[in-house]
Amino acid sequence: MISASINRDTVAGWDAADPLRPFREEFDLPDSVIYLDGNSLGARPKAALPRLLQILDEEWGRDLIAGWTRHDWTGMPERIGTRIAKLIGAGAGEVTVADSTSINLFKALCAARQLAAPRREILAVADDFPTNLHIAQGVARIFPDVRLRILGKAALPAALGPDTAAVMMTQANFRTGELHDMADITARVQRHGALMIWDLSHTAGVLPIALNGCHVDLAVGCGYKYLNGGPGAPAYLFVAERHQTAIDPPLSGWMGHAAPFDFDPVYKPAPGIRRHLAGTPAVLSLAALETGIAIAERADLVLVREKSRRMGELFVARMKPLLESGAFRPGSPAGADQRGSQICFLHADAARLMQRLAQDNVIGDFRPPDVMRFGFAPLYNRYVEVWDAVEMIRKMAG
Ligand SMILES: Cc1ncc(COP(=O)(O)O)c(C=O)c1O
């Protein structure tokens, strides 16, 4: 609980004592901007620029095709996958990095259909990120035996049954930030004999995740949010080791072949997680992502979570007069434990307000129809930024 009597100096004191403070120096962020949008696109690691220049100039420029072996470009999806695995409670060999989150979700859903056969029903929640629902709709179109049911979250437990093949959910809702209980939901789904697929896009890098601790089957996530991998960064796919050999990948490309450089016309899947690669790795994008991962893996995620919770509490405490007057309505769960690393407020004029905030260099997101969304990236955001952002909102509303 944050006391009503604090002032900006109190909050500046929190920044001075913040054990995560040095991480800000590792990002290129204009000082004039209050960037509360790391949940859409993370800030640029300073190391990304020299690393990309090095690849362009030396690895590609000088070594040309030899780069694939000399610099292990071919091994990047697995190498970076192993580094991401540590951030999400997975083991080495359970995560690969390629393609977009949408495409990895397609792979995960097809895998679940295969693993759970003859079960045929996929359950999804109605307020999930649209691409997740679109991809599931596509899977149901390709496989007419798949039945997709899109439900409100509250209807999910009763919908689980003997034909449920898989349930897919995003761990923190993209709009409201509502954090779902991974351990509890996974266990309930599996008690019904179904598989659980999580989208970690809004949680990886901002809170401790225990995929294997929760016995999760499959998971996907974005590289460009809290992992700071850059615009359109490659995404990742987790497949629990126990399932790997049973999956016949739907996108069976040569990079997932057991021996890609044998140029065998007949597809034979690689033994492990590599079978989920389809085409050539996006070396430049992977290299940028790796600079983001290299920062995240040095941070204590327990401290990151603590700071993110406190930032959310500070935001709410400062918004209190505006919420009490009815000028704004809360859009996120009330308790910090029930939220990911973002918060949203509802206002009929949200689009215009977010535009005005952006003109004053406070960057958040507008989500139709009336959502003002602010994300906290504890590795580079400061408590005073939260303070100043709400001051700006209060001024605008006054
Ligand atoms: C939960 C979730 N899944 C997926 C995506 C995007 O997927 P892709 O990287 O394929 O565009 C987003 C984008 O914000 C998202 O919030």
Side-chain angles (χ1 to χ4, degrees):
M1 193 65 177
I2 290 180
S3 151
S5 64
I6 60 166
N7 56 33
R8 195 177 186 280
D9 288 342
T10 319
V11 166
W14 296 353
D15 282 322
D18 174 14
L20 299 173
R21 196 163 83 125
F23 282 104
R24 167 123 181 164
E25 285 310 307
E26 301 198 37
F27 293 92
D28 263 317
L29 268 170
D31 264 335
S32 56
V33 170
I34 297 180
Y35 191 66
L36 299 177
D37 215 356
N39 53 328
S40 274
L41 173 65
R44 188 181 63 152
K46 284 184 181 160
L49 189 59
R51 176 66 183 122
L52 288 184
L53 287 174
Q54 182 195 26
I55 296 192
L56 291 171
D57 193 30
E58 297 170 26
E59 298 187 10
W60 179 20
R62 190 190 58 206
D63 295 339
L64 295 158
I65 192 124
W68 286 106
T69 45
R70 201 168 290 161
H71 304 291
D72 194 26
W73 292 343
T74 324
M76 287 175 97
E78 250 171 299
R79 179 175 84 227
I80 301 172
T82 300
R83 296 177 82 168
I84 292 178
K86 291 192 188 126
L87 297 173
I88 57 178
E94 289 186 309
V95 178
T96 188
V97 188
D99 308 317
S100 62
T101 310
S102 307
I103 290 175
N104 283 307
L105 190 61
F106 177 80
K107 297 176 198 171
L109 286 166
C110 293
R113 172 186 168 273
Q114 205 189 355
L115 293 167
R119 292 165 173 251
R120 281 297 173 249
E121 196 167 77
I122 293 172
L123 302 181
V125 281
D127 61 351
D128 207 341
F129 190 76
T131 201
N132 299 27
L133 302 176
H134 301 165
I135 290 289
Q137 288 159 19
V139 170
R141 277 198 307 275
I142 295 172
F143 301 106
D145 60 340
V146 166
R147 195 152 63 97
L148 173 65
R149 284 172 72 197
I150 300 177
L151 313 155
K153 187 193 160 198
L156 208 58
L160 290 165
D163 198 35
T164 313
V167 176
M168 71 167 200
M169 278 179 95
T170 297
Q171 194 185 6
N173 181 274
F174 81 101
R175 205 183 263 115
T176 65
E178 181 187 359
L179 188 63
H180 301 121
D181 185 333
M182 179 179 280
D184 178 57
I185 295 174
T186 304
R188 279 212 243 172
V189 166
Q190 291 177 348
R191 264 202 302 278
H192 282 83
L195 298 165
M196 188 65 212
I197 306 172
W198 286 102
D199 182 336
L200 310 177
S201 293
H202 291 276
T203 40
V206 268
L207 48 88
I209 296 175
L211 286 182
N212 282 332
C214 298
H215 201 251
V216 171
D217 299 290
L218 298 144
V220 298
C222 285
Y224 49 77
K225 297 179 187 288
Y226 299 112
L227 299 181
N228 304 304
Y236 50 92
L237 170 71
F238 159 85
V239 180
E241 201 192 345
R242 64 186 175 280
H243 293 312
Q244 287 188 3
T245 51
I247 301 171
D248 195 9
L251 300 175
S252 47
W254 76 303
M255 280 290 156
H257 189 281
F261 295 98
D262 283 358
F263 302 100
D264 181 356
V266 179
Y267 177 74
K268 281 190 208 82
I273 190 74
R274 195 167 59 73
R275 70 179 55 189
H276 298 285
L277 296 180
T280 304
V283 172
L284 294 172
S285 303
L286 282 162
L289 172 61
E290 197 166 22
T291 63
I293 305 296
I295 299 174
E297 68 191 359
R298 280 185 276 110
D300 179 341
L301 285 174
V302 172
L303 295 181
V304 171
R305 174 64 177 155
E306 237 172 71
K307 181 174 172 186
S308 134
R309 284 173 85 267
R310 201 171 189 200
M311 289 184 136
E313 284 180 332
L314 176 62
F315 211 119
V316 175
R318 299 294 299 149
M319 285 290 288
K320 206 167 167 215
L322 296 177
L323 293 166
E324 282 173 354
S325 73
F328 290 79
R329 282 178 298 125
S332 300
D337 287 337
Q338 283 115 45
R339 295 190 297 259
S341 201
Q342 66 190 60
I343 191 135
C344 75
F345 300 93
L346 312 181
H347 192 285
D349 214 5
R352 196 183 54 85
L353 291 179
M354 289 314 292
Q355 246 170 27
R356 275 192 53 197
L357 279 176
Q359 279 159 11
D360 285 334
N361 282 338
V362 176
I363 313 294
D365 272 319
F366 163 66
R367 287 290 175 264
D370 57 356
V371 175
M372 300 169 69
R373 187 182 79 164
F374 303 92
F376 312 116
L379 294 186
Y380 51 80
N381 284 136
R382 301 176 175 134
Y383 292 107
V384 286
E385 293 177 322
V386 172
W387 183 278
D388 292 344
V390 185
E391 277 303 290
M392 210 73 88
I393 297 172
R394 283 164 73 144
K395 244 188 249 154
M396 266 173 18

